[in-house]
Amino acid sequence: MDAFILLGSFLLLITLRMPVAYALGLSALAGAFWIGIPFHAVMIQVAGGVNKFSLLAIPFFVLAGAIMAEGGMSRRLVAFASVLVGFVRGGLSLVNIVASAFFGAISGSSVADTASVGSVLIPEMARKGYPREFSTAVTVSGSVQALLTPPSHNSVLYSLAAGGTVSISALFIAGIGPGILLTCVMMGMCLIFARRRNYPKGEVIPLKQALKICVDALWGLMTMFIIIGGILSGVFTATESAAIAVVWAFFVTMFIYRDYKWHELPKLMHRTVRTLSIVMILIAFAASFGYIMTLMQIPAKITTAFLTLSDNRYVILMCINAMLLVLGTLMDMAPLILILTPILMPVITGLGIDPVHFGMIMLVNLGIGLITPPVGAVLFVGAAVGKVTIENTVKALLPFYCALLMVLMAVTYIPAISLWLPSVLL
């Protein structure tokens, strides 16, 4: 009955179209009232949920990504990717995937990735004879890379939801392997389509121009190397690297590229603060929701329920994957990470699964949800940028869904993809 009151009130409020953050907070209060916990105890958890030093990484990484996204970085990364892979048949589709990989490693946001890279490449691909539906599908599916590679905001959320027991640095490094695998699979898909549909072949960029493009893009790409290099060398922590990334992004955008106007900075800061206020409210109320769940012993009950299904870790992982895929299509990624991680953590630790490995499984699962209707935020952004309908975009995405599911199975059942690099570098 405890679980029914807590989860039932949450689902009811979601059905009534209340914002997820407030639904979490009100259902936590309903659960507290039911089990006789004073409301001020819930409020303490709300305040404690955002009173964590590691959370500073989120606003700093979001701000660094926003500065780079609006400061001309996406255009330069597209040009750099064109130098690397644009000369082969279907080269623009490969450029799309590679540019998304680079931009995702700077912004850490799939939405920003889709909006920035898509606004540059989808019109260009259409001019070169690529169907808009295909161009949009490539952009949307390629943006899932941003969720895996550092600096992923969602890795920080997962570490927070796991109670701070999982290292953010380990999660950042663990995401490199799955991110590279996803990039390679997506590029393979694009090459197959290019051959079958006879998409145009790109032109080789002259050496002098190519060198200029590479040098121009290198300033922005240095953000990625500063973050990863600083963490691996021990010069600064993952949280501190976020602040350094902001300083570097600001320097490159305003003093090197100089495409962004000084008078536009206050508007950028305002948009960033609005985004962060939503995220922080969500984190705060999710902490109170998780506190009530723990008091009601819901995670322990769900662990018992999973273990009664099977004692085989592979079977349980398949069940968890199926559950995450379904839930990922119905809710946004951040609240699902904050709600489900405390519930599933006892299950995976009981099975001997590394929490870092499971973090990558969760990110890939919920990343697929972001590009799947009915609540696929990245899908909607991609369709809007590409000026195509959701229905046509989903049809074009069908083969890419299959490829993403293959990546998910590989990440799930081959732990070394996620764990080898952290074991070597950390």
Side-chain angles (χ1 to χ4, degrees), residues 136-397:
T136 304
V138 171
T139 304
V140 167
S141 57
S143 68
V144 177
Q145 301 165 98
L147 304 172
L148 301 170
T149 52
S152 169
H153 316 148
N154 295 287
S155 291
V156 179
L157 286 179
Y158 174 78
S159 174
L160 171 73
T165 58
V166 185
S167 165
I168 297 175
S169 300
L171 290 168
F172 277 4
I173 304 304
I176 295 175
I180 291 173
L181 174 63
L182 180 58
T183 301
C184 293
V185 170
M186 290 293 106
M187 290 178 70
M189 290 285 294
C190 290
L191 287 171
I192 291 171
F193 280 118
R195 182 177 293 274
R196 288 182 177 178
R197 300 176 181 177
N198 197 32
Y199 287 147
K201 186 176 182 180
E203 299 178 357
V204 177
I205 297 175
L207 179 60
K208 185 177 180 180
Q209 185 181 350
L211 289 174
K212 183 179 183 301
I213 289 171
C214 292
V215 171
D216 205 26
L218 187 62
W219 289 100
L221 290 172
M222 281 295 293
T223 310
M224 175 175 59
F225 294 113
I226 288 170
I227 293 169
I228 298 175
I231 293 172
L232 293 180
S233 64
V235 174
F236 41 74
T237 66
T239 304
E240 292 164 348
S241 72
I244 294 169
V246 170
V247 175
W248 179 255
F250 179 82
F251 170 74
V252 171
T253 299
M254 304 309 295
F255 295 100
I256 304 296
Y257 293 158
R258 291 182 290 183
D259 289 349
Y260 204 70
K261 307 300 181 184
W262 286 90
H263 67 84
E264 295 175 330
L265 276 176
K267 294 180 180 178
L268 183 146
M269 295 294 294
H270 176 68
R271 288 193 296 272
T272 303
V273 170
R274 284 188 61 185
T275 301
L276 290 170
S277 63
I278 297 169
V279 174
M280 291 304 177
I281 291 171
L282 176 61
I283 292 171
F285 286 134
S288 65
F289 188 84
Y291 170 68
I292 300 299
M293 275 200 309
T294 304
L295 293 179
M296 291 179 171
Q297 297 184 332
I298 292 176
K301 294 172 183 175
I302 292 177
T303 300
T304 304
F306 268 111
L307 295 178
T308 56
L309 292 174
S310 173
D311 58 356
N312 188 315
R313 70 163 68 182
Y314 302 111
V315 173
I316 292 179
L317 279 174
M318 183 62 73
C319 294
I320 291 175
N321 276 334
M323 180 186 72
L324 290 174
L325 285 171
V326 172
L327 291 175
T329 66
L330 301 175
M331 280 182 65
D332 203 8
M333 189 172 192
L336 281 175
I337 291 174
L338 294 168
I339 295 169
L340 294 177
T341 301
I343 294 175
L344 296 176
M345 191 59 68
V347 179
I348 62 110
T349 52
L351 293 170
I353 299 168
D354 192 297
V356 173
H357 175 213
F358 182 70
M360 296 303 107
I361 296 172
M362 179 173 275
L363 292 182
V364 176
N365 264 298
L366 300 183
I368 296 173
L370 285 178
I371 64 171
T372 309
V375 191
V378 176
L379 172 64
F380 297 150
V381 171
V385 172
K387 298 179 181 178
V388 293
T389 64
I390 298 293
E391 294 80 2
N392 289 338
T393 304
V394 171
K395 288 179 183 177
L397 273 169

